[in-house]
Amino acid sequence: MKNKYLSTSLGLYMNYFVHGMALIIIAQNIDFLSQKWHTDLAGAAGVVSSFGIGKLLAVFISGKLSDKFGRKLSVILGVFFYIVFLGGILLSPNTIIAYAFGISAGIANSFLDTGTYPALMEAYPKKAASANIVVKAFVQAGQFLLPFMIAFILANNLWYGWSFIVLIAILLINLLYTLTRTFPPMTVGKPLDFEKEIVEEKKAFHFSIDEICLILFGFVAQTLLYIMSQWIAKYGSEVIHMTDNASRLLVSYASVGAILCVCVTFILGNRGVKTLHILITYVTMTMLVSFTLFAFPTEIVCLVGAFLLGYFSAGGIIQLGLTLLAEVSARGKGFVTSLYTIAEGIAVFVIPLIAAAISRIDIAAIFLLNAGIALFGLALLLIVFARKKKFARDHI
């Protein structure tokens, strides 16, 4: 995949390395932050729901800004708001102020997504799915390394805030690097042949059934990622009664699974395996593994389950779903990324509140919720699959 935009891509991917850490930095420091904010674990975890508000606030302008003024500006704004988030959380004296700064993380995520994914699809038009799935490798690399960084900090009796400072430093360096890079020219997506029939549907409903299903899938994919990354450690410590350090490392095991998934998915994509088929398989397995974690809360199930959830639910289904949406839609890539991000934002706002409420009763039940959400996602994908098969039969 070497081309003249490789150096630009590396800068884009590095932002997601930090993004992966930022997604779990509250969960990984939740004991310190809950004490500082004078709240319980559920109260501190609820701050993460602010990410969803930020996504929803920014998404109405981030996609249009990306399509009109270019991907580079969108990426730069994303980095800026992530720096605001990390510094703000570190300085927040209570959950109210932390919640306000958490909104910055959602805004950052929205700008990064609507700048990065379209840029990668434009840089690698023939291998868009593969280019986007590499984003996940960098996200998971960040999530793999952060627990070890925090374990090192704790083992040496250092201030927990150093984990935030390191992320800010990486972002600042990468921002200077990105400013010197050239981005690919913008393009407008073309629908696949099997989607030509949606023209009539758009006249009546504006969006095709396939577009609606795949936009909703953004909610599903984000939920599956959130529950795995934010609650697998607490599942280990509170349900299985593992030590704090051992439970934190469950996120790293999940990251190993996710990175392996990225490699396998990259190979499958280059060998012509359909993105939709991969998604159906991964979501089905996520549903089964999540139910197993709920029904059989043992240490071996926890260890294996963390790895498998990392593979199937954190290995790139968000990116694959977005790539598939961009393929079936003729709309601007920034615009469809915004729609997908809206669905993700709703998940990031709603699911943390629901999960926090469930955690006060039974943390294991959060994974039953995960299984139910995965079942809903499977239904959405099967609708798209059935419509593709029908179209193929009708045009033999």
Side-chain angles (χ1 to χ4, degrees), residues 88-110:
I89 290 294
L90 189 58
L91 298 174
S92 296
N94 55 56
T95 54
I96 296 175
I97 295 177
Y99 203 90
F101 279 112
I103 292 174
S104 296
I107 294 173
N109 192 188
S110 184

Side-chain angles (χ1 to χ4, degrees), residues 16 19 23 51 55 78 81-82 104-114 222 341 344 348:
Y16 280 87
H19 168 71
L23 285 175
F51 293 10
K55 270 179 152 308
F81 279 107
Y82 254 133
S104 296
I107 294 173
N109 192 188
S110 184
F111 277 112
L112 273 188
D113 285 352
T114 54
Q222 183 62 60
T341 302
E344 290 183 78
V348 175

Side-chain angles (χ1 to χ4, degrees), residues 142-297:
Q143 293 193 347
F144 174 78
L145 289 175
L146 185 65
F148 289 100
M149 182 196 302
I150 292 176
F152 175 83
I153 289 171
L154 295 179
N156 290 276
N157 296 315
L158 300 174
W159 177 47
Y160 74 92
W162 280 113
S163 58
F164 291 83
I165 299 297
V166 169
L167 268 61
I168 291 173
I170 295 173
L171 284 175
L172 286 172
I173 293 170
N174 197 52
L175 177 60
L176 295 175
Y177 174 81
T178 301
L179 288 170
T180 66
R181 300 301 95 190
T182 300
F183 279 59
M186 294 187 292
T187 60
V188 177
K190 261 175 120 178
L192 298 178
D193 289 341
F194 80 86
E195 284 295 324
K196 288 178 181 177
E197 67 178 25
I198 69 175
V199 173
E200 292 304 317
E201 290 178 9
K202 286 182 179 178
K203 290 179 181 177
F205 302 106
H206 190 62
F207 290 100
S208 72
I209 293 173
D210 300 277
E211 285 176 318
I212 292 171
C213 286
L214 291 171
I215 289 168
L216 289 175
F217 185 75
F219 173 90
V220 173
Q222 183 62 60
T223 297
L224 301 183
L225 173 63
Y226 165 78
I227 289 179
M228 187 287 300
S229 63
Q230 300 294 324
W231 288 101
I232 192 65
K234 279 302 170 186
Y235 175 89
S237 62
E238 301 296 330
V239 179
I240 310 301
H241 304 298
M242 301 170 70
T243 65
D244 286 343
N245 279 338
S247 62
R248 280 193 180 95
L249 290 179
L250 289 172
V251 177
S252 294
Y253 303 151
S255 296
V256 172
I259 292 170
L260 176 62
C261 177
V262 169
C263 297
V264 172
T265 304
F266 185 89
I267 294 171
L268 292 176
N270 285 337
R271 291 186 176 181
V273 179
K274 300 295 185 183
T275 300
L276 182 56
H277 297 170
I278 295 173
L279 280 173
I280 289 173
T281 301
Y282 288 0
V283 173
T284 300
M285 291 304 300
T286 296
M287 177 182 66
L288 296 176
V289 173
S290 296
F291 182 78
T292 302
L293 283 168
F294 166 73
F296 305 100

Side-chain angles (χ1 to χ4, degrees), residues 340-384:
Y340 196 78
T341 302
I342 288 174
E344 290 183 78
I346 293 171
V348 175
F349 173 65
V350 173
I351 297 301
L353 299 178
I354 295 174
I358 293 174
S359 73
R360 290 189 168 103
I361 303 171
D362 181 8
I363 288 178
I366 293 174
F367 289 91
L368 181 60
L369 170 66
N370 207 45
I373 295 294
L375 178 60
F376 173 60
L378 179 60
L380 294 173
L381 294 174
L382 289 177
I383 290 172
V384 177

Side-chain angles (χ1 to χ4, degrees), residues 19-34:
H19 168 71
M21 292 185 173
L23 285 175
I24 63 170
I25 198 164
I26 290 180
Q28 289 287 305
N29 288 289
I30 197 166
D31 293 323
F32 300 107
L33 294 175
S34 60

Side-chain angles (χ1 to χ4, degrees), residues 58 71 100 217 309 353 386-387:
R71 317 307 185 194
F217 185 75
L309 276 188
L353 299 178
R387 282 170 52 77

